[in-house]
Amino acid sequence: MTGRARSPFTKAALLGVGLMLSAVGCASNAPQDTFKPKGPQAFQIFHLAVPVFIIAGVVLVLVMGLAVGIAVKFRASKDEHPDEFPAQVHGNFKAEITWTIIPLLILVGVAIPTVFTVFDLAKKPPADALTVEVYGQQWWWEYRYNFDVDNDGKVDQIITANDLVVPAGRPIALRIKSRDVIHSWWAPALNGKKDAVPGRVHPLSIEAPDPGEYIGQCTEFCGLSHAEMRIKVVAMKPAEFQAWAENQIQPFQAPTEAGAAAGFSTFASQCTSCHRITGMTDPTDSSKTFVYPKVVNQVSGEVPNLTKFMTRTMFAGGKFNLRLPTTECKALGETWASTKDGIAKCLNREALEAWLRNPPAEKAMHPGEVPSPESRGMPNFHLTEDQIDDLVAFLITLQ
Ligand code: CUA
């Protein structure tokens, strides 16, 4: 082989082995690891996938070993005449039965637990499950909750985005839908993937065992910013979840402080042809509910509802963190809490301002330099720096 160019087959094999080794070896901080299950559904998949991988691995080693061994053992020797054929064999009943029966048994052995797992994962969620409507859109996820938050006998609605907030230890019944193209919802530590298909409702059960964050992302190619359509399941202790839900349905309060009030006016004039804030009042008369203009220029018809925006941890479809890292926040002598001061200081202001300044520069919304009718997401509104400062001051009040 020395001095000869490697065949395309050899190159492909080497590349494959290299990719496999790098995939296995390099990821130390990898929250999206299907081999690190946390929720019961993910464990079910894990307990099926591992034995199947082992069986497939044993078959691979045996078959490849036999193939290589036979090729070496029966290779042509130098003193053989090149035209001489080895003895031709035809019809060996025992061999044919053996190589039919063994794979059949292996496949049946793999199929039985697979079918049971598939049916088990598709079981209806228990009656005490919390239902959340999930909407995939280019390129972010919306979550809607409809339940009686404050026990007054009436169903309350919570609309949020990016962070799926759930109570830990409680079954969650997701109803996954799409408002434009096909997406796929996947938080590997909790369950397998489920496609979001326009016109369909796909159920998916998850359960976060402990408080904490479970990371995922859209896993069906859905256009330019598909890779920036992130998922974060934020699991809270049940009492904290209840407090979160109660805060979400608190009525809107118009800001009184000058900068925030100016930002509120800018928001009403510039942002409300797309964005909504539940219960928002008219900036010119706080006794009146604001009348929203028609949603314009949106394929999906919806953009993130910004009610209680500051209770989220991410924005722009999860591309940016809304909060500074805890250590940076601590260095400022603050913690992110439901106080205006903590939020104002620990806000990832730089990223949020950059976003308001020129969204398509922060996240790809259209191919090429110039927006077109095919553009998605937030356009550049060419806001002034003062308007941006005021808008941020207003957004900080949404807590
Ligand atoms: Cu949504 Cu990929």
Side-chain angles (χ1 to χ4, degrees):
M1 284 294 273
T2 33
R4 251 173 56 194
R6 287 192 175 115
S7 75
F9 177 78
T10 319
K11 278 186 200 160
L14 284 173
L15 180 68
V17 170
L19 283 176
M20 257 153 55
L21 286 177
S22 57
V24 170
C26 292
S28 57
N29 176 24
Q32 290 175 224
D33 188 340
T34 197
F35 291 109
K36 285 179 194 151
K38 299 262 171 63
Q41 291 85 2
F43 266 109
Q44 265 184 290
I45 294 171
F46 180 76
H47 289 144
L48 173 70
V50 169
V52 171
F53 268 128
I54 292 172
I55 293 168
V58 170
V59 170
L60 175 82
V61 170
L62 280 180
V63 171
M64 292 314 289
L66 272 174
V68 172
I70 288 170
V72 171
K73 182 154 192 273
F74 296 104
R75 69 190 186 279
S77 58
K78 271 183 210 124
D79 46 345
E80 251 171 300
H81 192 278
D83 289 342
E84 194 184 321
F85 279 113
Q88 299 298 296
V89 181
H90 177 260
N92 185 324
F93 188 68
K94 266 191 203 161
E96 282 169 13
I97 288 294
T98 311
W99 72 51
T100 308
I101 295 285
I102 292 177
L104 180 79
L105 289 178
I106 293 173
L107 288 181
V108 169
V110 168
I112 291 171
T114 304
V115 170
F116 272 102
T117 306
V118 167
F119 276 85
D120 217 32
L121 287 171
K123 262 195 320 209
K124 275 217 171 94
D128 67 329
L130 174 71
T131 301
V132 184
E133 311 285 329
V134 178
Y135 296 87
Q137 273 142 115
Q138 287 171 320
W139 292 277
W140 58 286
W141 295 95
E142 181 174 272
Y143 301 106
R144 290 186 178 222
Y145 306 67
N146 297 286
F147 67 101
D148 184 0
V149 174
D150 48 5
N151 260 317
D152 65 352
K154 275 184 279 177
V155 171
D156 301 288
Q157 186 178 49
I158 297 170
I159 308 174
T160 185
N162 306 330
D163 294 25
L164 169 58
V165 181
V166 297
R170 181 164 165 200
I172 310 295
L174 302 180
R175 288 163 46 82
I176 299 174
K177 306 166 206 182
S178 167
R179 291 195 177 117
D180 40 39
V181 300
I182 300 178
H183 305 270
S184 191
W185 198 93
W186 192 31
L190 298 178
N191 201 341
K193 301 173 185 184
K194 188 69 89 174
D195 278 4
V197 179
R200 293 185 64 99
V201 181
H202 287 169
L204 185 74
S205 292
I206 57 167
E207 186 180 323
D210 302 303
E213 294 181 346
Y214 303 83
I215 304 299
Q217 70 181 71
C218 177
T219 53
E220 180 72 43
F221 180 70
C222 54
L224 260 190
S225 283
H226 153 69
E228 293 174 339
M229 188 171 165
R230 301 184 65 200
I231 289 164
K232 187 193 270 183
V233 179
V234 179
M236 297 175 173
K237 289 180 188 144
E240 280 172 30
F241 174 77
Q242 179 62 27
W244 171 84
E246 281 169 15
N247 181 51
Q248 296 296 310
I249 60 165
Q250 289 303 309
F252 173 82
Q253 283 198 324
T256 46
E257 189 243 327
F264 182 31
S265 296
T266 307
F267 183 85
S269 62
Q270 300 269 7
C271 314
T272 50
S273 54
C274 294
H275 286 289
R276 296 283 181 270
I277 293 173
T278 306
M280 189 173 125
T281 52
D282 195 316
T284 58
D285 182 353
S286 64
S287 67
K288 280 193 205 145
T289 307
F290 182 73
V291 181
Y292 285 98
K294 197 176 168 290
V295 171
V296 292
N297 199 25
Q298 291 300 328
V299 178
S300 66
E302 294 278 346
V303 311
N305 182 308
L306 297 177
T307 312
K308 307 289 170 190
F309 178 58
M310 285 293 145
T311 63
R312 301 171 195 174
T313 66
M314 317 188 289
F315 69 98
K319 177 161 187 184
F320 302 106
N321 288 323
L322 192 57
R323 308 169 183 192
L324 293 177
T326 318
T327 44
E328 267 180 60
C329 186
K330 258 197 190 139
L332 298 167
E334 273 296 348
T335 50
W336 183 283
S338 286
T339 70
K340 200 175 162 186
D341 252 22
I343 290 175
K345 279 192 189 155
C346 297
L347 178 70
N348 189 0
R349 192 179 288 266
E350 203 181 317
L352 187 58
E353 286 183 354
W355 177 253
L356 294 173
R357 203 168 282 126
N358 187 1
E362 300 298 311
K363 181 167 173 172
M365 309 283 196
H366 47 77
E369 293 294 314
V370 189
S372 72
E374 279 75 45
S375 295
R376 301 286 186 268
M378 193 154 121
N380 186 348
F381 281 92
H382 303 282
L383 300 167
T384 66
E385 290 304 308
D386 283 346
Q387 282 178 316
I388 292 171
D389 287 345
D390 293 344
L391 271 176
V392 171
F394 169 60
L395 291 173
I396 288 172
T397 67
L398 305 174
Q399 47 180 278

